Amino acid sequence: MAQIRIARRVLTECIAAMAFPILLLSILVAPVSAPVVAETDRSRARWCGVETMPLKPSDHRWAQWVALRLRSRSIWRTDLPVFVTAVLLSALSLLVAFFGFIGAAALVFSPVFWLFGIAAQVGPFTPESVRETLLAMPAGIVLGAVTTTVLTGTSFLRDLLLRTFSRSRDPDLLAKLEELRTSRASLTAAFEFERQRIERDLHDGAQQELVAVVMRLGMLEATATAAAADQERIVRLARQAQAHAERALERLRDTVRDIHPRELSDLGLIAAVRELAARSPLRVELTSTGDDAQLSSPTATAVYFTVSEALTNISKHAGVGSARIDLRCATTDVHVRVHDDGVGGARIDTGSGLAGLRERMRSVGGNIEILSPPGGGTLVVASAPSQPPW
């Protein structure tokens, strides 16, 4: 495996040497050419076994991606230095490969040239006898090995400078990128679950009630037409239709509130949580401090639905009738704690509700933790900056 990687490094340096004229001409169109050369160098490093991150998304065309890079300030601290390094090291590889390999070949095949009456001159050395041509063969092998070593070292130097300029050696950056990819996938799944929940609520709730209203109104019309004197039955059917319509309206209001509560937009996070606690079937003890005026809408929404989901889980699974909420708002961040004395055993990786909340909090730069030992109650702790990092 090591020999294969060395061979790849030597091959890529030879290709870079042959591409030097193109790189030299590309200086005329810099910095447009800088992202292309830098991304090509990252691909070279990965082919040689170095862990680097491609910056160009697979679904982007080159022209589209270059246009985006030109509008980014990172092109000056990442792509342009890699481009300059590629030009300089390609010039070095051209000199080393040209004189090194040609000289090595001339020395190794010196006896063959001598047979045809050619004295192959390499630098100051010119063979004057068959014996000298035979002695030149080991020197040619050594020169080839030295050339290979120098080209390999040049390739490693490329990797070092690429890591330096691209900061790809930072493990925290790689971990954050992987976390972002995982979070995006989880958030997509959570959104899909939420859409299905809304569709289910509308189908099983308001839609069924409205169907009942239509049926009652049809019966009411038939009764009124067939027996105008049957006032009592008409009144009863009218009252049933009205009751179904009121229930359908209430369910629609609940569904809309679950999507985004009006109290949150009109009155702020603290008032919305207070309203949420008042509507909960639990006895909720709410403590709130600070001012929520500095909270952005995404942050306030994420915290609100965290509290809402926590109260829902308590009423469904905790086996208790009370809960405590501690909400603290500051100019820079917000913290919320929801605690109950129930059966515990809740886990954040089970159920789409909790997983969706975790991704929602992460999307605004926050985090959520659940402490729920079996039999010891459940504590949900969430925090987020007042303004998302994006």
Side-chain angles (χ1 to χ4, degrees), residues 190-209:
F191 284 158
E192 180 62 25
F193 173 82
E194 187 66 15
R195 285 192 292 267
Q196 293 177 0
R197 184 193 65 80
I198 294 173
E199 187 275 335
R200 186 173 60 252
D201 288 347
L202 290 175
H203 180 274
D204 298 339
Q207 179 174 306
Q208 298 297 327
E209 297 293 345

Side-chain angles (χ1 to χ4, degrees), residues 315-350:
S315 62
K316 288 183 177 180
H317 308 297
V320 293
S322 62
R324 297 186 297 277
I325 302 175
D326 180 18
L327 177 62
R328 293 185 289 114
C329 301
T331 56
T332 57
D333 53 17
V334 56
H335 298 265
V336 65
R337 296 163 60 93
V338 183
H339 184 247
D340 69 80
D341 298 321
V343 297
R347 296 181 58 186
I348 199 169
D349 57 349
T350 57

Side-chain angles (χ1 to χ4, degrees), residues 359-371:
E359 301 311 325
R360 187 192 287 269
M361 293 300 299
R362 287 180 176 178
S363 69
V364 296
N367 194 20
I368 182 173
E369 295 181 3
I370 293 183
L371 304 176

